[in-house]
Amino acid sequence: IKPRTNLKIRFGKNIPTDETILLQYGGMKDIVEINLTHNITNRFFFYTSPSYNRYHSSEGKYLGEGFYIYNELSYKLRVTYPDYTFRLYTMHGIYNEKSGYKGKIEELSAFPRPQVLSDSFNEIGVGFLFGWENYETYVRVWRPFLSLHTGFNDVTDVNYSVFAGIGGALLGQDNLSINFSYIKSYKGSTEEIKTLQIRYILYF
């Protein structure tokens, strides 16, 4: 929009989703999402991402809908590696789950008529990033990166997350990262989520 302001609009159909364990293993979502980033200064940034989501099971059974928004203020204390970034964030989620039978996703639970979507929630927290350039941009040297976050959620109380890995260029003008994450009480859910991810981006 302007030299310091970037806007992206995303539409998605049958997107994998991880708001809860049941959704992660047996659910999908359709999404309309806006991502707005404004560089207040060269080190101080504002980011907001509202989204509307419609959830369904893997065979297409409608599960419900939700509205989610993430807001963040971040300050990059050091720009070049090892770069340090501090974050202050808020998250808000409003979910409306349909009643009755929810399809094959119910077979993943030991309980009848399980709750599939998250509870509606509000959260505020702080975070710290280290070496993040090696995760999301083109850098020639392979180096580690780390993300630590903790916050308070009005549904799950105190929660935290750890995201760590190593990344850099593989062939040139690209980025390959290998990372592991652990999240306790993700969004409005009390569940724990662990992931191992290999991510590759080719820049043109």
Side-chain angles (χ1 to χ4, degrees):
I1 300 175
K2 293 181 178 179
R4 290 183 175 271
T5 305
N6 183 275
L7 174 67
K8 296 180 181 179
I9 301 176
R10 175 189 177 208
F11 301 93
K13 181 74 174 175
N14 296 332
I15 304 297
T17 182
D18 59 2
E19 277 92 332
T20 66
I21 293 294
L22 289 178
L23 284 175
Q24 187 174 34
Y25 288 111
M28 309 286 281
K29 68 181 176 182
D30 305 330
I31 185 172
V32 179
E33 181 181 72
I34 296 173
N35 297 303
L36 176 67
T37 304
H38 178 65
N39 298 359
I40 301 172
T41 68
N42 291 334
R43 295 175 181 264
F44 195 34
F45 307 91
F46 170 74
Y47 172 78
T48 184
S49 178
S51 65
Y52 170 75
N53 310 282
R54 285 178 59 89
Y55 300 91
H56 51 85
S57 62
S58 57
E59 80 276 18
K61 190 74 173 180
Y62 175 69
L63 303 174
E65 60 186 3
F67 174 79
Y68 171 76
I69 183 168
Y70 176 88
N71 303 298
E72 177 186 303
L73 284 172
S74 60
Y75 179 75
K76 185 168 287 190
L77 183 63
R78 180 184 170 94
V79 177
T80 58
Y81 193 93
D83 53 292
Y84 305 101
T85 302
F86 296 91
R87 287 173 160 177
L88 172 66
Y89 72 88
T90 63
M91 290 192 293
H92 311 275
I94 301 173
Y95 299 94
N96 182 22
E97 183 167 340
K98 66 158 286 189
S99 59
Y101 181 63
K102 301 181 180 70
K104 294 182 179 179
I105 196 170
E106 291 193 7
E107 298 174 7
L108 301 174
S109 174
F111 306 98
R113 296 295 185 266
Q115 179 179 341
V116 176
L117 304 187
S118 297
D119 292 317
S120 297
F121 71 92
N122 299 285
E123 179 174 328
I124 185 169
V126 294
F128 170 74
L129 301 178
F130 164 77
W132 208 243
E133 299 294 328
N134 283 70
Y135 172 65
E136 61 181 10
T137 59
Y138 168 60
V139 287
R140 290 178 292 176
V141 181
W142 277 69
R143 295 187 177 115
F145 53 81
L146 173 69
S147 169
L148 300 173
H149 286 82
T150 185
F152 179 80
N153 188 295
D154 60 1
V155 174
T156 61
D157 294 330
V158 178
N159 57 56
Y160 56 87
S161 67
V162 179
F163 185 99
I166 187 170
L170 181 65
L171 302 175
Q173 208 64 26
D174 60 359
N175 178 276
L176 174 66
S177 64
I178 303 170
N179 58 74
F180 169 80
S181 68
Y182 171 79
I183 304 174
K184 180 182 181 297
S185 301
Y186 183 59
K187 295 185 178 178
S189 168
T190 58
E191 297 157 346
E192 297 179 350
I193 296 178
K194 301 174 184 177
T195 62
L196 178 63
Q197 180 187 60
I198 298 175
R199 178 173 178 262
Y200 181 75
I201 301 175
L202 179 63
Y203 298 99
F204 294 94

